[in-house]
Amino acid sequence: MPSWTATRIRTLKGASPIVCVTAYDFSMARIVDEAGFHLVLVGDSLGMTVLGYETTLPVTMEEMLHHTSAVARGVGNALVVADMPFMSYHSSISTALENAGRFIKEAGADAVKVEGGKVRSRTISALTQNGIPVLGHIGLTPQSLLAMGGYKIQGRKPAEAKQLLADAASLDAAGVFAIVLECIPSELAREITAAVSVPTIGIGAGPHCDGQILVLHDVLGLHGAAAPKLKFVKQYAALGKLAKDALLNFKQDVEQGSFPSAEHSFQ
């Protein structure tokens, strides 16, 4: 069992900032864990960052199980949360239970993440009542991209803000251990954070949440020249450029015959 459990993370509300990031493979998961993060999310964002899809919608259960297993093997202390992909929990509660159970039993996840508010509360209640910790997710929910009409800030209109407050309360009552708030106004995030008993984790939701999460590739600058420009992202490194420069140097050494040298050859 990891040092950081869903129950322990829940106790951090109002006490200490919760630091989270996504990861998609063993080596990066190990680095994230060594850095002391509380929570590692195997996000369905791997559809864009790793698999080359345009959205998260094509991501399958098998792809998520594969990457979650790799991350779980690299993590010893952080809570590993698996993103339940599009249509893996929508059709019925029994389907949701079966698929969430696979993440726990087969992939080694410690919890799952489910998008949606009140409409998902019965499903989430069933999961939590069967011993599966759930991280909620409201605001901009990428699996609802088509219905939302694109990646848009949510909750600016009074009716939308009221609905998000009701959604957060519903998830709290359903037993989630925390709620991701994505791309909503910071003052609304402050209001939701004060209204619920569980921690809120923001991504594009301002500074008033109980924790923050970003996509690993955005934090480390792994997108290369194709890096998206997102207002809520702070890039802490430019590893894409460093990797390209290193590869160009390797290519040049091979082409010029300077690698492998005697130092890198067996005698």
Side-chain angles (χ1 to χ4, degrees):
M1 181 177 290
S3 299
W4 287 103
T5 63
T7 301
R8 189 179 174 199
I9 284 178
R10 186 169 180 159
T11 66
L12 294 179
K13 183 176 180 67
S16 179
I18 304 167
V19 189
C20 319
V21 74
T22 65
Y24 314 104
D25 60 50
F26 172 82
S27 58
M28 279 298 184
R30 185 168 55 184
I31 292 170
V32 169
D33 199 46
E34 289 173 353
F37 279 67
H38 299 106
L39 183 153
V40 178
L41 172 66
V42 189
D44 61 0
S45 50
L46 67 83
M48 291 95 83
T49 59
V50 177
L51 301 178
Y53 299 141
E54 290 187 2
T55 70
T56 64
L57 300 182
V59 177
T60 67
M61 272 294 299
E62 297 307 317
E63 287 167 339
M64 288 302 305
L65 288 166
H66 174 82
H67 287 275
T68 301
S69 295
V71 169
R73 288 191 290 271
V75 170
N77 295 306
L79 186 82
V80 175
V81 180
D83 225 343
M84 295 195 71
F86 182 58
M87 294 310 298
S88 67
Y89 55 93
H90 301 66
S91 60
S92 69
I93 289 177
S94 61
T95 298
L97 281 167
E98 180 180 356
N99 286 326
R102 292 187 69 192
F103 279 117
I104 305 298
K105 290 186 67 174
E106 297 177 28
D110 305 304
V112 298
K113 182 169 77 64
V114 173
E115 291 187 8
K118 187 175 181 180
V119 69
R120 301 296 169 212
S121 60
R122 288 183 62 245
T123 298
I124 291 170
S125 290
L127 294 175
T128 58
Q129 287 169 15
N130 281 278
I132 300 174
V134 177
L135 174 63
H137 183 167
I138 59 174
L140 196 165
T141 48
Q143 292 175 13
S144 302
L145 172 70
L146 300 180
M148 288 182 169
Y151 296 106
K152 299 178 180 179
I153 298 171
Q154 304 296 306
R156 279 181 164 164
K157 297 177 181 178
E160 293 175 350
K162 183 178 179 180
Q163 182 60 57
L164 286 172
L165 278 160
D167 285 339
S170 180
L171 294 183
D172 193 2
V176 298
F177 70 87
I179 304 171
V180 172
L181 305 179
E182 181 167 358
C183 289
I184 67 173
S186 60
E187 287 305 310
L188 176 58
R190 185 206 293 269
E191 191 173 355
I192 292 172
T193 299
V196 296
S197 67
V198 296
T200 58
I201 298 172
I203 176 167
H208 307 302
C209 298
D210 296 298
Q212 299 291 331
I213 187 169
L214 284 175
V215 170
L216 182 73
H217 287 56
D218 293 335
V219 173
L220 299 182
L222 286 167
H223 294 288
K229 305 298 181 183
L230 301 173
K231 178 178 176 63
F232 61 85
V233 169
K234 180 176 179 179
Q235 183 177 307
Y236 287 81
L239 299 192
K241 183 181 184 306
L242 286 174
K244 182 179 179 181
D245 289 345
L247 290 167
L248 287 171
N249 288 334
F250 169 53
K251 176 174 177 282
Q252 178 177 294
D253 282 356
V254 172
E255 290 174 341
Q256 294 178 351
S258 58
F259 180 86
S261 62
E263 179 186 356
H264 301 101
S265 301
F266 295 105
Q267 306 298 324

mmCIF file with all atom_site columns, all heavy atoms in Angstrom, residues 246-260:
data_model
loop_
_atom_site.group_PDB
_atom_site.id
_atom_site.type_symbol
_atom_site.label_atom_id
_atom_site.label_alt_id
_atom_site.label_comp_id
_atom_site.label_asym_id
_atom_site.label_entity_id
_atom_site.label_seq_id
_atom_site.pdbx_PDB_ins_code
_atom_site.Cartn_x
_atom_site.Cartn_y
_atom_site.Cartn_z
_atom_site.occupancy
_atom_site.B_iso_or_equiv
_atom_site.pdbx_formal_charge
_atom_site.auth_seq_id
_atom_site.auth_comp_id
_atom_site.auth_asym_id
_atom_site.auth_atom_id
_atom_site.pdbx_PDB_model_num
ATOM 1   N N   . ALA A 1 246 ? 20.113 16.806 -27.879 1.00 0.00 ? 246 ALA A N   1
ATOM 2   C CA  . ALA A 1 246 ? 20.915 15.620 -27.575 1.00 0.00 ? 246 ALA A CA  1
ATOM 3   C C   . ALA A 1 246 ? 20.895 14.642 -28.746 1.00 0.00 ? 246 ALA A C   1
ATOM 4   O O   . ALA A 1 246 ? 21.937 14.068 -29.123 1.00 0.00 ? 246 ALA A O   1
ATOM 5   C CB  . ALA A 1 246 ? 20.396 14.943 -26.310 1.00 0.00 ? 246 ALA A CB  1
ATOM 6   N N   . LEU A 1 247 ? 19.754 14.444 -29.351 1.00 0.00 ? 247 LEU A N   1
ATOM 7   C CA  . LEU A 1 247 ? 19.633 13.525 -30.480 1.00 0.00 ? 247 LEU A CA  1
ATOM 8   C C   . LEU A 1 247 ? 20.402 14.031 -31.694 1.00 0.00 ? 247 LEU A C   1
ATOM 9   O O   . LEU A 1 247 ? 21.020 13.244 -32.424 1.00 0.00 ? 247 LEU A O   1
ATOM 10  C CB  . LEU A 1 247 ? 18.157 13.303 -30.820 1.00 0.00 ? 247 LEU A CB  1
ATOM 11  C CG  . LEU A 1 247 ? 17.375 12.499 -29.783 1.00 0.00 ? 247 LEU A CG  1
ATOM 12  C CD1 . LEU A 1 247 ? 15.880 12.600 -30.049 1.00 0.00 ? 247 LEU A CD1 1
ATOM 13  C CD2 . LEU A 1 247 ? 17.828 11.047 -29.766 1.00 0.00 ? 247 LEU A CD2 1
ATOM 14  N N   . LEU A 1 248 ? 20.370 15.332 -31.914 1.00 0.00 ? 248 LEU A N   1
ATOM 15  C CA  . LEU A 1 248 ? 21.135 15.909 -33.024 1.00 0.00 ? 248 LEU A CA  1
ATOM 16  C C   . LEU A 1 248 ? 22.635 15.714 -32.804 1.00 0.00 ? 248 LEU A C   1
ATOM 17  O O   . LEU A 1 248 ? 23.382 15.436 -33.755 1.00 0.00 ? 248 LEU A O   1
ATOM 18  C CB  . LEU A 1 248 ? 20.798 17.395 -33.184 1.00 0.00 ? 248 LEU A CB  1
ATOM 19  C CG  . LEU A 1 248 ? 19.423 17.708 -33.783 1.00 0.00 ? 248 LEU A CG  1
ATOM 20  C CD1 . LEU A 1 248 ? 19.130 19.204 -33.683 1.00 0.00 ? 248 LEU A CD1 1
ATOM 21  C CD2 . LEU A 1 248 ? 19.362 17.254 -35.244 1.00 0.00 ? 248 LEU A CD2 1
ATOM 22  N N   . ASN A 1 249 ? 23.080 15.840 -31.542 1.00 0.00 ? 249 ASN A N   1
ATOM 23  C CA  . ASN A 1 249 ? 24.505 15.628 -31.239 1.00 0.00 ? 249 ASN A CA  1
ATOM 24  C C   . ASN A 1 249 ? 24.896 14.169 -31.454 1.00 0.00 ? 249 ASN A C   1
ATOM 25  O O   . ASN A 1 249 ? 25.973 13.874 -31.994 1.00 0.00 ? 249 ASN A O   1
ATOM 26  C CB  . ASN A 1 249 ? 24.803 16.045 -29.795 1.00 0.00 ? 249 ASN A CB  1
ATOM 27  C CG  . ASN A 1 249 ? 24.777 17.550 -29.607 1.00 0.00 ? 249 ASN A CG  1
ATOM 28  O OD1 . ASN A 1 249 ? 25.020 18.301 -30.556 1.00 0.00 ? 249 ASN A OD1 1
ATOM 29  N ND2 . ASN A 1 249 ? 24.495 17.998 -28.399 1.00 0.00 ? 249 ASN A ND2 1
ATOM 30  N N   . PHE A 1 250 ? 24.034 13.251 -31.036 1.00 0.00 ? 250 PHE A N   1
ATOM 31  C CA  . PHE A 1 250 ? 24.281 11.824 -31.262 1.00 0.00 ? 250 PHE A CA  1
ATOM 32  C C   . PHE A 1 250 ? 24.343 11.528 -32.759 1.00 0.00 ? 250 PHE A C   1
ATOM 33  O O   . PHE A 1 250 ? 25.249 10.828 -33.238 1.00 0.00 ? 250 PHE A O   1
ATOM 34  C CB  . PHE A 1 250 ? 23.180 11.011 -30.586 1.00 0.00 ? 250 PHE A CB  1
ATOM 35  C CG  . PHE A 1 250 ? 23.171 9.548  -30.952 1.00 0.00 ? 250 PHE A CG  1
ATOM 36  C CD1 . PHE A 1 250 ? 24.316 8.771  -30.829 1.00 0.00 ? 250 PHE A CD1 1
ATOM 37  C CD2 . PHE A 1 250 ? 22.014 8.951  -31.419 1.00 0.00 ? 250 PHE A CD2 1
ATOM 38  C CE1 . PHE A 1 250 ? 24.297 7.418  -31.163 1.00 0.00 ? 250 PHE A CE1 1
ATOM 39  C CE2 . PHE A 1 250 ? 21.982 7.599  -31.756 1.00 0.00 ? 250 PHE A CE2 1
ATOM 40  C CZ  . PHE A 1 250 ? 23.133 6.840  -31.630 1.00 0.00 ? 250 PHE A CZ  1
ATOM 41  N N   . LYS A 1 251 ? 23.403 12.061 -33.494 1.00 0.00 ? 251 LYS A N   1
ATOM 42  C CA  . LYS A 1 251 ? 23.355 11.868 -34.947 1.00 0.00 ? 251 LYS A CA  1
ATOM 43  C C   . LYS A 1 251 ? 24.645 12.379 -35.596 1.00 0.00 ? 251 LYS A C   1
ATOM 44  O O   . LYS A 1 251 ? 25.254 11.709 -36.447 1.00 0.00 ? 251 LYS A O   1
ATOM 45  C CB  . LYS A 1 251 ? 22.142 12.600 -35.523 1.00 0.00 ? 251 LYS A CB  1
ATOM 46  C CG  . LYS A 1 251 ? 22.001 12.571 -37.044 1.00 0.00 ? 251 LYS A CG  1
ATOM 47  C CD  . LYS A 1 251 ? 20.677 13.217 -37.440 1.00 0.00 ? 251 LYS A CD  1
ATOM 48  C CE  . LYS A 1 251 ? 20.524 13.275 -38.946 1.00 0.00 ? 251 LYS A CE  1
ATOM 49  N NZ  . LYS A 1 251 ? 21.310 14.371 -39.544 1.00 0.00 ? 251 LYS A NZ  1
ATOM 50  N N   . GLN A 1 252 ? 25.091 13.555 -35.165 1.00 0.00 ? 252 GLN A N   1
ATOM 51  C CA  . GLN A 1 252 ? 26.311 14.142 -35.727 1.00 0.00 ? 252 GLN A CA  1
ATOM 52  C C   . GLN A 1 252 ? 27.532 13.288 -35.406 1.00 0.00 ? 252 GLN A C   1
ATOM 53  O O   . GLN A 1 252 ? 28.394 13.062 -36.276 1.00 0.00 ? 252 GLN A O   1
ATOM 54  C CB  . GLN A 1 252 ? 26.494 15.554 -35.175 1.00 0.00 ? 252 GLN A CB  1
ATOM 55  C CG  . GLN A 1 252 ? 27.763 16.258 -35.665 1.00 0.00 ? 252 GLN A CG  1
ATOM 56  C CD  . GLN A 1 252 ? 27.846 17.673 -35.141 1.00 0.00 ? 252 GLN A CD  1
ATOM 57  O OE1 . GLN A 1 252 ? 27.044 18.518 -35.485 1.00 0.00 ? 252 GLN A OE1 1
ATOM 58  N NE2 . GLN A 1 252 ? 28.832 17.929 -34.268 1.00 0.00 ? 252 GLN A NE2 1
ATOM 59  N N   . ASP A 1 253 ? 27.625 12.788 -34.170 1.00 0.00 ? 253 ASP A N   1
ATOM 60  C CA  . ASP A 1 253 ? 28.770 11.955 -33.784 1.00 0.00 ? 253 ASP A CA  1
ATOM 61  C C   . ASP A 1 253 ? 28.831 10.678 -34.622 1.00 0.00 ? 253 ASP A C   1
ATOM 62  O O   . ASP A 1 253 ? 29.912 10.235 -35.040 1.00 0.00 ? 253 ASP A O   1
ATOM 63  C CB  . ASP A 1 253 ? 28.675 11.583 -32.300 1.00 0.00 ? 253 ASP A CB  1
ATOM 64  C CG  . ASP A 1 253 ? 29.096 12.728 -31.390 1.00 0.00 ? 253 ASP A CG  1
ATOM 65  O OD1 . ASP A 1 253 ? 29.534 13.778 -31.907 1.00 0.00 ? 253 ASP A OD1 1
ATOM 66  O OD2 . ASP A 1 253 ? 28.972 12.569 -30.159 1.00 0.00 ? 253 ASP A OD2 1
ATOM 67  N N   . VAL A 1 254 ? 27.662 10.066 -34.866 1.00 0.00 ? 254 VAL A N   1
ATOM 68  C CA  . VAL A 1 254 ? 27.639 8.848  -35.675 1.00 0.00 ? 254 VAL A CA  1
ATOM 69  C C   . VAL A 1 254 ? 28.041 9.155  -37.106 1.00 0.00 ? 254 VAL A C   1
ATOM 70  O O   . VAL A 1 254 ? 28.853 8.442  -37.723 1.00 0.00 ? 254 VAL A O   1
ATOM 71  C CB  . VAL A 1 254 ? 26.242 8.197  -35.620 1.00 0.00 ? 254 VAL A CB  1
ATOM 72  C CG1 . VAL A 1 254 ? 26.161 7.036  -36.611 1.00 0.00 ? 254 VAL A CG1 1
ATOM 73  C CG2 . VAL A 1 254 ? 25.941 7.702  -34.206 1.00 0.00 ? 254 VAL A CG2 1
ATOM 74  N N   . GLU A 1 255 ? 27.518 10.221 -37.657 1.00 0.00 ? 255 GLU A N   1
ATOM 75  C CA  . GLU A 1 255 ? 27.795 10.582 -39.047 1.00 0.00 ? 255 GLU A CA  1
ATOM 76  C C   . GLU A 1 255 ? 29.266 10.947 -39.245 1.00 0.00 ? 255 GLU A C   1
ATOM 77  O O   . GLU A 1 255 ? 29.852 10.674 -40.301 1.00 0.00 ? 255 GLU A O   1
ATOM 78  C CB  . GLU A 1 255 ? 26.898 11.741 -39.476 1.00 0.00 ? 255 GLU A CB  1
ATOM 79  C CG  . GLU A 1 255 ? 25.430 11.352 -39.624 1.00 0.00 ? 255 GLU A CG  1
ATOM 80  C CD  . GLU A 1 255 ? 24.519 12.538 -39.897 1.00 0.00 ? 255 GLU A CD  1
ATOM 81  O OE1 . GLU A 1 255 ? 24.923 13.695 -39.632 1.00 0.00 ? 255 GLU A OE1 1
ATOM 82  O OE2 . GLU A 1 255 ? 23.393 12.301 -40.362 1.00 0.00 ? 255 GLU A OE2 1
ATOM 83  N N   . GLN A 1 256 ? 29.888 11.528 -38.220 1.00 0.00 ? 256 GLN A N   1
ATOM 84  C CA  . GLN A 1 256 ? 31.291 11.943 -38.318 1.00 0.00 ? 256 GLN A CA  1
ATOM 85  C C   . GLN A 1 256 ? 32.265 10.859 -37.868 1.00 0.00 ? 256 GLN A C   1
ATOM 86  O O   . GLN A 1 256 ? 33.476 11.028 -37.942 1.00 0.00 ? 256 GLN A O   1
ATOM 87  C CB  . GLN A 1 256 ? 31.508 13.210 -37.490 1.00 0.00 ? 256 GLN A CB  1
ATOM 88  C CG  . GLN A 1 256 ? 30.766 14.433 -38.024 1.00 0.00 ? 256 GLN A CG  1
ATOM 89  C CD  . GLN A 1 256 ? 30.963 15.660 -37.156 1.00 0.00 ? 256 GLN A CD  1
ATOM 90  O OE1 . GLN A 1 256 ? 31.508 15.591 -36.057 1.00 0.00 ? 256 GLN A OE1 1
ATOM 91  N NE2 . GLN A 1 256 ? 30.539 16.810 -37.658 1.00 0.00 ? 256 GLN A NE2 1
ATOM 92  N N   . GLY A 1 257 ? 31.717 9.740  -37.368 1.00 0.00 ? 257 GLY A N   1
ATOM 93  C CA  . GLY A 1 257 ? 32.567 8.632  -36.961 1.00 0.00 ? 257 GLY A CA  1
ATOM 94  C C   . GLY A 1 257 ? 33.209 8.790  -35.603 1.00 0.00 ? 257 GLY A C   1
ATOM 95  O O   . GLY A 1 257 ? 34.115 8.025  -35.253 1.00 0.00 ? 257 GLY A O   1
ATOM 96  N N   . SER A 1 258 ? 32.760 9.747  -34.801 1.00 0.00 ? 258 SER A N   1
ATOM 97  C CA  . SER A 1 258 ? 33.350 9.945  -33.480 1.00 0.00 ? 258 SER A CA  1
ATOM 98  C C   . SER A 1 258 ? 32.659 9.137  -32.386 1.00 0.00 ? 258 SER A C   1
ATOM 99  O O   . SER A 1 258 ? 33.114 9.106  -31.245 1.00 0.00 ? 258 SER A O   1
ATOM 100 C CB  . SER A 1 258 ? 33.322 11.436 -33.107 1.00 0.00 ? 258 SER A CB  1
ATOM 101 O OG  . SER A 1 258 ? 32.012 11.943 -33.115 1.00 0.00 ? 258 SER A OG  1
ATOM 102 N N   . PHE A 1 259 ? 31.572 8.495  -32.720 1.00 0.00 ? 259 PHE A N   1
ATOM 103 C CA  . PHE A 1 259 ? 30.909 7.566  -31.819 1.00 0.00 ? 259 PHE A CA  1
ATOM 104 C C   . PHE A 1 259 ? 30.572 6.283  -32.570 1.00 0.00 ? 259 PHE A C   1
ATOM 105 O O   . PHE A 1 259 ? 30.068 6.340  -33.690 1.00 0.00 ? 259 PHE A O   1
ATOM 106 C CB  . PHE A 1 259 ? 29.625 8.152  -31.233 1.00 0.00 ? 259 PHE A CB  1
ATOM 107 C CG  . PHE A 1 259 ? 28.942 7.172  -30.299 1.00 0.00 ? 259 PHE A CG  1
ATOM 108 C CD1 . PHE A 1 259 ? 29.311 7.100  -28.966 1.00 0.00 ? 259 PHE A CD1 1
ATOM 109 C CD2 . PHE A 1 259 ? 27.945 6.302  -30.757 1.00 0.00 ? 259 PHE A CD2 1
ATOM 110 C CE1 . PHE A 1 259 ? 28.698 6.184  -28.119 1.00 0.00 ? 259 PHE A CE1 1
ATOM 111 C CE2 . PHE A 1 259 ? 27.350 5.390  -29.917 1.00 0.00 ? 259 PHE A CE2 1
ATOM 112 C CZ  . PHE A 1 259 ? 27.730 5.321  -28.588 1.00 0.00 ? 259 PHE A CZ  1
ATOM 113 N N   . PRO A 1 260 ? 30.859 5.126  -31.981 1.00 0.00 ? 260 PRO A N   1
ATOM 114 C CA  . PRO A 1 260 ? 31.514 4.919  -30.678 1.00 0.00 ? 260 PRO A CA  1
ATOM 115 C C   . PRO A 1 260 ? 33.029 5.059  -30.790 1.00 0.00 ? 260 PRO A C   1
ATOM 116 O O   . PRO A 1 260 ? 33.638 4.637  -31.775 1.00 0.00 ? 260 PRO A O   1
ATOM 117 C CB  . PRO A 1 260 ? 31.115 3.494  -30.327 1.00 0.00 ? 260 PRO A CB  1
ATOM 118 C CG  . PRO A 1 260 ? 30.926 2.815  -31.643 1.00 0.00 ? 260 PRO A CG  1
ATOM 119 C CD  . PRO A 1 260 ? 30.393 3.846  -32.572 1.00 0.00 ? 260 PRO A CD  1
#
